[in-house]
Amino acid sequence: MNIPAIQMSTTPAKLGISSTPGRLSIQQPPATVDLEQPKADMRIQTTPGKLTIDQRQAWDDMDRKHIFTRIKDAAANGRQKALEGTGRRAAEGRELADIHKGGNAIVMQAARRVDRTHKIGIAYIPSYGSVKINYQPGDVQIDAQARQVENNTRTNKPIISYQPGDVSFQMKQYPSIQFQAVNKTI
């Protein structure tokens, strides 16, 4: 017996998916550095040290006197010798005036005039402590005032670039249904 039947055939749908990934880019520019250090305010005051060396006595001890000292000593020595000479002549005159009392005044005066003493020794070595040294130390005063650092540094914002991703769908195959009437025999 022939019974009509419906035969159905389907074609499934096929989808195509393509995607583009998103892109994220971050750049951080360096900070803009602006630092300034002003010079410190500094004042320095110095008082120099003072060294004095007085060698006059040492030179005098070695008989290498300054001309003014020599003149002064010669004047003092001449005055002293003049006084001694005046006194000696007065004494010798009295001795000669008293010659009648006896004694040998002329021989005694001649014997006194002969100087038989000689100084022996080294005369060019100065005495101990004859060089006078005086030192006044100097002084240094420092007045320094530091100044603050001027910091005008600025941060820079990051540069962010973002491209979103994309997903697209395509229909690669459309679905279909087909019906067909078929006679079927049993």
Side-chain angles (χ1 to χ4, degrees), residues 47-64:
T47 305
K50 186 176 181 181
L51 174 66
T52 55
I53 300 174
D54 185 2
Q55 307 180 80
R56 282 180 290 175
Q57 185 181 349
W59 289 113
D60 290 351
D61 290 352
M62 294 188 300
D63 197 30
R64 302 187 87 191

Side-chain angles (χ1 to χ4, degrees), residues 7 17 43 58-60 67 87 99 109 113 151 156 161-162 178 183 186:
Q7 189 178 22
I17 300 174
R43 289 186 201 99
W59 289 113
D60 290 351
I67 189 65
I99 202 164
Q109 288 179 7
R113 288 196 181 223
N151 187 355
N156 292 323
S161 171
Y162 174 67
Q178 294 175 352
N183 286 335
I186 306 193

Side-chain angles (χ1 to χ4, degrees), residues 104-118:
N104 204 352
I106 296 175
V107 173
M108 287 174 40
Q109 288 179 7
R112 281 193 301 248
R113 288 196 181 223
V114 176
D115 184 15
R116 295 196 178 170
T117 59
H118 297 286

Side-chain angles (χ1 to χ4, degrees), residues 7-11 176-180:
Q7 189 178 22
M8 186 172 64
S9 66
T10 61
T11 305
S176 64
I177 298 177
Q178 294 175 352
F179 295 98
Q180 189 176 13

Side-chain angles (χ1 to χ4, degrees), residues 33-37 149-153:
V33 178
D34 182 11
L35 291 175
E36 193 173 327
Q37 175 66 60
V149 174
E150 294 176 13
N151 187 355
N152 298 320
T153 303

Side-chain angles (χ1 to χ4, degrees), residues 29 32 35 46 51 55 58 65 71 76 79 86-87 90 94 105 111 117 121 128-129 144 158 164 176 178 185:
T32 305
L35 291 175
T46 58
L51 174 66
Q55 307 180 80
K65 299 176 183 178
I71 292 170
R79 185 172 192 275
T86 304
R94 265 185 251 115
T117 59
Y128 176 78
S176 64
Q178 294 175 352
T185 50

Side-chain angles (χ1 to χ4, degrees), residues 20-176:
T20 306
R23 283 194 200 135
L24 177 63
S25 167
I26 300 175
Q27 292 178 351
Q28 178 64 59
T32 305
V33 178
D34 182 11
L35 291 175
E36 193 173 327
Q37 175 66 60
K39 291 181 181 178
D41 184 21
M42 182 158 41
R43 289 186 201 99
I44 300 175
Q45 275 187 325
T46 58
T47 305
K50 186 176 181 181
L51 174 66
T52 55
I53 300 174
D54 185 2
Q55 307 180 80
R56 282 180 290 175
Q57 185 181 349
W59 289 113
D60 290 351
D61 290 352
M62 294 188 300
D63 197 30
R64 302 187 87 191
K65 299 176 183 178
H66 189 271
I67 189 65
F68 295 142
T69 307
R70 280 206 186 276
I71 292 170
K72 185 174 137 188
D73 288 351
N77 190 25
R79 185 172 192 275
Q80 181 64 33
K81 293 291 182 182
L83 291 174
E84 287 174 7
T86 304
R88 186 182 40 129
R89 282 183 179 77
E92 287 176 353
R94 265 185 251 115
E95 280 180 2
L96 288 174
D98 291 337
I99 202 164
H100 64 281
K101 291 182 182 175
N104 204 352
I106 296 175
V107 173
M108 287 174 40
Q109 288 179 7
R112 281 193 301 248
R113 288 196 181 223
V114 176
D115 184 15
R116 295 196 178 170
T117 59
H118 297 286
K119 291 183 181 179
I120 299 175
I122 300 173
Y124 57 86
I125 296 177
S127 61
Y128 176 78
S130 61
V131 176
K132 309 284 189 290
I133 298 174
N134 184 22
Y135 177 68
Q136 294 174 342
D139 187 32
V140 177
Q141 293 178 355
I142 299 174
D143 180 24
Q145 305 217 341
R147 297 203 177 156
Q148 295 294 324
V149 174
E150 294 176 13
N151 187 355
N152 298 320
T153 303
R154 293 182 313 276
T155 59
N156 292 323
K157 293 184 178 182
I159 301 169
I160 300 173
S161 171
Y162 174 67
Q163 275 185 317
D166 186 31
V167 177
S168 62
F169 297 94
Q170 302 96 22
M171 192 61 99
K172 291 211 171 190
Q173 182 177 330
Y174 287 95
S176 64

